[in-house]
């Protein structure tokens, strides 16, 4: 009898864990994966060398075009160049991702996030090849997928008020263009390595999907924007 009680308690605990995971929002889940993966890669770097680990998780045009390390198209989405890079992206993902997830649903959000992030990485590789830029440069970060979320909102809720860099108020459509332009300007004038082409690729993916949803759910999008206009 005691064994049965112990077994039942274990089963209930397992169900409770799975239930908690199931109830997590997709945005929270993605943020948790990013943080865990970042720490995991840091630990691996201590044992095997940071450069060796970077080769295995960061996307590099030269490697992708040679058919090597193809998994980095996915792993690069969950790795970041440092704690500040991780923090800024996760805060952005929390605010934008939470809103998008409520709009399109958990499953659709997850699929869109992954596909758009992969598209952003491949777009980065494609433009590096077309414009003969440095093919050996590495890229990491969730910002390609985050720009896709922003591009989606720029189409679905263009007049939504957002705060670029957390303090400059702008409408959503203008904020995405402004943010992309500022980051591109900073990278050129300051010789700072920023994955601008990945950002652009993500933005394009978001706009395309946004146009599809706006055409399919035109009435619902209109109701949503009217409600947002009254709220703000």
């Amino acid at each position: 009898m005691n064994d049965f009680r112990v077994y039942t308690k274990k089963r209930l605990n397992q169900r409770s864990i799975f239930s908690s995971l199931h109830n997590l929002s997709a945005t929270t889940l993605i943020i948790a994966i990013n943080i865990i993966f970042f720490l995991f890669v840091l630990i691996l770097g201590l044992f095997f060398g940071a450069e060796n680990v970077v080769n295995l998780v960061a996307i590099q045009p030269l490697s992708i075009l040679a058919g090597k390390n193809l998994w980095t198209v996915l792993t690069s989405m969950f790795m970041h160049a440092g704690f500040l890079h991780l923090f800024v992206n996760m805060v952005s993902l929390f605010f934008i991702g939470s809103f998008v997830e409520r709009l399109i649903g958990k499953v659709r959000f997850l699929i869109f996030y992954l596909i758009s992030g992969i598209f952003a990485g491949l777009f980065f590789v494609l433009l590096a090849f077309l414009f003969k830029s440095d093919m050996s440069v590495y890229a990491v970060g969730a910002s390609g997928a985050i720009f896709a979320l922003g591009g989606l909102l720029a189409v679905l809720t263009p007049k939504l008020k957002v705060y670029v860099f957390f303090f400059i108020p702008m409408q959503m459509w203008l904020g995405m263009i402004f943010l992309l332009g500022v980051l591109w300007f900073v990278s050129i004038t300051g010789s700072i390595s920023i994955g601008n082409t990945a950002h652009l690729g993500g933005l394009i993916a978001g706009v395309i999907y946004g146009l599809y949803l706006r055409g399919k759910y035109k009435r619902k999008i209109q109701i949503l924007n009217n409600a947002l206009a009254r709220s703000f």
Side-chain angles (χ1 to χ4, degrees):
M1 193 65 168
N2 289 334
D3 290 341
F4 175 75
R5 288 176 179 173
V6 172
Y7 173 77
T8 303
K9 188 175 182 180
K10 286 182 178 179
R11 293 286 292 178
L12 288 173
N13 288 337
Q14 289 175 353
R15 287 182 181 180
S16 177
I17 293 172
F18 286 125
S19 177
S20 298
L21 291 174
H22 178 74
N23 292 331
L24 277 178
S25 70
T27 303
T28 302
L29 182 62
I30 292 172
I31 290 173
I33 293 173
N34 271 275
I35 295 172
I36 293 170
F37 189 68
F38 176 77
L39 296 175
F40 176 68
V41 170
L42 283 184
I43 294 171
L44 286 181
L46 296 176
F47 290 96
F48 303 103
E51 186 175 344
N52 293 327
V53 176
V54 167
N55 289 336
L56 294 176
V57 298
I59 188 171
Q60 182 192 53
L62 193 63
S63 295
I64 298 298
L65 293 172
K68 300 177 181 179
N69 298 350
L70 298 181
W71 60 83
T72 58
V73 174
L74 181 62
T75 57
S76 60
M77 292 171 54
F78 297 96
M79 183 55 195
H80 290 80
F83 284 102
L84 180 60
H85 188 205
L86 176 69
F87 175 77
V88 171
N89 273 355
M90 293 306 99
V91 171
S92 301
L93 177 58
F94 176 77
F95 287 108
I96 298 177
S98 298
F99 184 61
V100 173
E101 185 177 352
R102 289 198 297 271
L103 287 182
I104 66 176
K106 184 175 183 177
V107 175
R108 185 178 288 178
F109 174 84
L110 275 172
I111 295 172
F112 171 64
Y113 183 89
L114 291 173
I115 292 177
S116 61
I118 291 172
F119 178 84
L122 293 176
F123 194 79
F124 163 74
V125 173
L126 175 63
L127 290 195
F129 172 75
L130 292 177
F131 292 98
K132 309 300 180 185
S133 58
D134 188 358
M135 301 283 284
S136 62
V137 69
Y138 290 97
V140 293
S143 48
I146 294 172
F147 262 86
L149 299 178
L152 177 67
L153 290 180
V155 174
L156 298 183
T157 57
K159 295 183 179 181
L160 177 68
K161 185 179 179 181
V162 293
Y163 290 87
V164 180
F165 300 121
F166 307 113
F167 70 93
I168 306 176
M170 287 187 183
Q171 291 186 344
M172 192 72 212
W173 71 272
L174 180 59
M176 293 310 301
I177 297 174
F178 176 77
L179 181 60
L180 184 68
V182 168
L183 291 177
W184 216 306
F185 176 79
V186 169
S187 66
I188 294 174
T189 58
S191 298
I192 300 173
S193 180
I194 299 176
N196 294 304
T197 53
H199 297 166
L200 178 60
L203 186 63
I204 291 172
V207 168
I208 292 173
Y209 189 49
L211 290 172
Y212 165 75
L213 291 179
R214 193 174 70 177
K216 187 175 182 179
Y217 303 104
K218 189 174 183 179
R219 174 68 175 165
K220 291 183 178 180
I221 299 302
Q222 185 178 0
I223 294 173
L224 170 65
N225 280 290
N226 289 340
L228 289 173
R230 288 194 297 269
S231 299
F232 294 99

